[in-house]
Amino acid sequence: NGETKNIINKANCGIVVNHGNINSLVNATLSLCNKKYLKKLEKNSKSYYLKNFKLNLIKVKFHNILTSIIKKK
């Protein structure tokens, strides 16, 4: 649950399993054994990182947020 789940689903870069759901955990683990599927997740995760979490991008986003806050005062 939470933000991690949202990111994984939005980026389509992994599998989210609800706490205590053993069957879902087994199925997710088996899915990750598929090399083609795993490669797709890898590609999606790298793409999402580059678009959302790269250090220079984070700096710009943070600067924009601070600038916005300062302008409101």
Side-chain angles (χ1 to χ4, degrees):
N1 289 336
E3 190 61 25
T4 303
K5 176 183 176 181
N6 292 339
I7 291 171
I8 291 169
N9 288 333
K10 184 176 180 181
N12 192 24
C13 66
I15 301 171
V16 177
V17 177
N18 290 327
H19 176 74
N21 191 332
I22 300 300
N23 289 332
S24 289
L25 179 60
V26 169
N27 290 333
T29 303
L30 292 173
S31 294
L32 294 174
C33 292
N34 179 319
K35 288 183 182 183
K36 186 176 179 181
Y37 179 65
L38 197 56
K39 205 66 165 159
K40 177 183 171 188
L41 295 180
E42 177 185 346
K43 180 181 173 186
N44 292 347
S45 63
K46 184 175 182 180
S47 174
Y48 192 83
Y49 163 78
L50 291 173
K51 291 178 185 174
N52 296 279
F53 294 113
K54 197 169 179 184
L55 184 57
N56 288 338
L57 183 60
I58 295 296
K59 287 179 186 178
V60 171
K61 286 181 179 181
F62 187 67
H63 179 270
N64 291 341
I65 290 169
L66 290 178
T67 302
S68 172
I69 291 169
I70 291 169
K71 285 181 180 179
K72 288 181 181 179
K73 289 187 174 191

